[in-house]
Amino acid sequence: DYQQLLFTLNEGIHGNLGGMGKPALYSKAKLGTKNLITRYIDEICGALNDLNDVDDKIISLAEKQDFFQRASHCYGRSALMLSGGAVLGFFHAGVLKALFDRGLLPEIISGSSAGSILAATACTHADDELKERLDLDNLHHEVDEAEQIRPVLSLLGNGRPNMDADNLRDYLQHIVPDLTFQEAFERTGRKLNITVTGLSPRQAPRLLNAITAPNVLVRSAVMASCAIYGIYPPVTLMCRNAAGETTPYLPDEKWIDGSFADDLPAKRLARLYGVNHFISSMTNPAALAITPDPDKPSNPLRSLLNFQGRLLKLGTAETLRFSRQHVRIKSPMLSLVQHLTYGVLAQEYTADINIFLRNRWDHPLRLLAPPTREAMHRLIYEGERSTWDRIEMVRNCTAISRTLDSILHQRGWEV
């Protein structure tokens, strides 16, 4: 009885029914023991496909469209967020590879700083190209081609040169096609999001994508998101105008590293795309230093240390917030450092599914140098291994939303 099935499904499809999306279910056995949950999800997905395939004389096309659009809007969807992390960002390549190989890569992907490079790679190459682009030999070859990317630290304006932006630009030309955000979406169907931070404390951070900045060039957005303050020079975003010419976008504004203010832009993704389930790949050394892995087994000592860490982070952030509001700092450089430090401490660095880099510490100077082939292989492999632990959880938590999105895409009903 398809009408009864439609009525039953209209009562609501719940992604966390009975707590079936809780990470604690996957803390012991990673897969193979959630049989009841798997059967429920398979039954829901099968029912959705049956409704889609049923003859239009039984359930009209208008009824189907209304149901699937409402169900998708109410159920929500997943997004993958790739953090900053300098050279540790190659960990993200392993995460992307593991999800892509299993058909679980979300259509909505965000990236900040180093994460923006891998996010742009994933969202500017079609499926038949992406597997090759994420291959170790290909990635390491591209680094070899841009071996001169070695920035110079210059926080105090002492006359020493910043990194030559041309080197980074040459590197990006090898791995990111010359596309705008809109062109990238039309080419792959994936929704790329890149965060950038305003150089001026008065300028709010922005999330660039095909909705908010369709004509902005992806490469320039990646360069801005990678512009670590004091190491890379600030960037003016570039766009392509109606005549196809490359021109400055907001020419009076300069932009720097997106991870300073919005490393994991969950709230903005929720507002723009209706995302309510987040997967994060975290390699940001600053974030890892102040954020305990929420999926690690708990014990009294670890809980106490985590509580003290959260208290210290909150106290420091509130102190900085108070000083920003009530203490006037005349030095523009110190004012910006205060603003950026507060931005780092005030953020939330966890998601519904967390894929954390296990090796949290590295030599600061090595973070900014091109990795050896062995180091890159280790990072990519660790990204894959860390994702394998979460594969069953990702599959169960995203199966229904992927089915709904597939039906809407097939029918051309996407809003």
Side-chain angles (χ1 to χ4, degrees):
D1 186 343
Y2 288 103
Q3 289 291 348
Q4 183 59 40
L5 177 61
L6 179 62
F7 178 83
T8 300
L9 291 176
N10 259 316
E11 292 179 343
I13 304 170
H14 303 285
N16 196 27
L17 183 66
M20 67 181 185
K22 287 184 176 179
L25 288 172
Y26 302 84
S27 61
K28 299 293 183 182
K30 304 296 183 183
L31 54 86
T33 59
K34 271 61 70 173
N35 297 324
L36 181 62
I37 293 172
T38 302
R39 288 201 303 270
Y40 169 79
I41 292 170
D42 290 344
E43 193 69 28
I44 292 293
C45 292
L48 292 170
N49 285 317
D50 287 344
L51 281 180
N52 180 49
D53 295 335
V54 70
D55 194 292
D56 294 345
K57 295 178 181 177
I58 300 176
I59 298 179
S60 71
L61 197 61
E63 284 184 284
K64 290 182 183 179
Q65 181 175 356
D66 175 68
F67 165 73
F68 283 114
Q69 286 179 336
R70 283 189 296 102
S72 178
H73 179 74
C74 294
Y75 189 86
R77 52 192 46 80
S78 298
L80 173 64
M81 303 182 293
L82 309 180
S83 76
V87 72
L88 300 179
F90 284 106
F91 175 90
H92 300 317
V95 175
L96 290 166
K97 190 171 183 292
L99 292 174
F100 179 73
D101 286 345
R102 288 155 184 79
L104 298 174
L105 184 63
E107 288 186 351
I108 302 167
I109 304 176
S110 75
S112 299
S113 194
S116 70
I117 299 177
L118 277 303
T121 302
C123 294
T124 56
H125 293 91
D127 287 354
D128 57 345
E129 304 172 306
L130 184 54
K131 189 175 182 65
E132 179 184 350
R133 297 306 307 179
L134 296 175
D135 182 75
L136 170 64
D137 292 330
N138 190 58
L139 285 173
H140 192 259
H141 170 72
E142 304 300 1
V143 170
D144 285 343
E145 291 290 325
E147 195 164 350
Q148 298 306 311
I149 301 179
R150 293 182 183 275
V152 177
L153 185 62
S154 181
L155 286 173
L156 302 178
N158 56 11
R160 297 178 64 191
N162 291 91
M163 174 192 158
D164 184 352
D166 290 339
N167 291 330
L168 178 58
R169 187 177 296 108
D170 291 343
Y171 172 58
L172 293 176
Q173 285 176 354
H174 288 291
I175 59 174
V176 178
D178 185 23
L179 301 172
T180 65
F181 281 93
Q182 182 62 35
E183 291 166 347
F185 170 68
E186 292 171 355
R187 180 174 182 175
T188 68
R190 285 186 272 270
K191 302 174 178 69
L192 171 63
N193 299 264
I194 294 177
T195 56
V196 293
T197 302
L199 181 61
S200 167
R202 296 185 298 274
Q203 175 61 269
R206 295 205 177 194
L207 184 66
L208 305 173
N209 52 49
I211 299 174
T212 63
N215 299 318
V216 169
L217 293 168
V218 172
R219 285 179 189 166
S220 77
V222 174
M223 287 192 65
S225 192
C226 291
I228 305 171
Y229 178 65
I231 297 177
Y232 295 83
V235 172
T236 298
L237 294 171
M238 304 300 290
C239 67
R240 187 171 290 141
N241 64 19
E245 301 168 338
T246 300
T247 59
Y249 179 83
L250 299 175
D252 295 333
E253 299 292 343
K254 296 283 188 179
W255 306 90
I256 57 174
D257 194 323
S259 64
F260 279 122
D262 210 4
D263 204 12
L264 304 179
K267 291 182 179 179
R268 299 184 185 210
L269 293 175
R271 185 172 69 249
L272 287 169
Y273 301 106
V275 176
N276 58 0
H277 181 263
F278 298 93
I279 305 166
S280 76
S281 176
M282 176 52 65
T283 63
N284 186 332
L288 291 172
I290 58 177
T291 307
D293 188 340
D295 298 329
K296 274 191 173 181
S298 180
N299 60 56
L301 178 59
R302 179 174 289 128
S303 296
L304 178 61
L305 292 174
N306 290 346
F307 172 76
Q308 291 178 333
R310 286 193 298 269
L311 195 62
L312 178 62
K313 175 189 171 184
L314 178 61
T316 307
E318 286 301 305
T319 300
L320 285 169
R321 185 180 66 83
F322 179 85
S323 67
R324 289 175 67 208
Q325 292 177 348
H326 302 286
V327 179
R328 183 178 179 182
I329 299 178
K330 294 183 178 180
S331 168
M333 189 272 291
L334 291 178
S335 177
L336 180 59
V337 170
Q338 176 197 50
H339 170 70
L340 296 179
T341 305
Y342 171 76
V344 170
L345 292 173
Q347 295 182 60
E348 177 61 49
Y349 292 104
T350 57
D352 298 293
I353 298 178
N354 300 283
I355 305 172
F356 274 37
L357 178 68
R358 293 189 177 97
N359 181 18
R360 295 187 172 206
W361 308 103
D362 207 335
H363 193 287
L365 295 180
R366 285 205 298 265
L367 292 175
L368 301 172
T372 63
R373 181 182 176 85
E374 292 72 25
M376 185 182 293
H377 177 267
R378 186 178 70 249
L379 285 166
I380 295 174
Y381 181 62
E382 183 172 347
E384 289 186 86
R385 283 192 59 188
S386 298
T387 307
W388 293 337
D389 287 348
R390 303 284 189 270
I391 284 293
E392 190 70 9
M393 187 178 183
V394 172
R395 181 183 288 112
N396 286 343
C397 291
T398 64
I400 295 175
S401 64
R402 284 186 286 112
T403 300
L404 288 167
D405 286 345
S406 175
I407 292 170
L408 291 175
H409 180 71
Q410 171 196 336
R411 292 282 192 173
W413 290 340
E414 293 171 305
V415 179

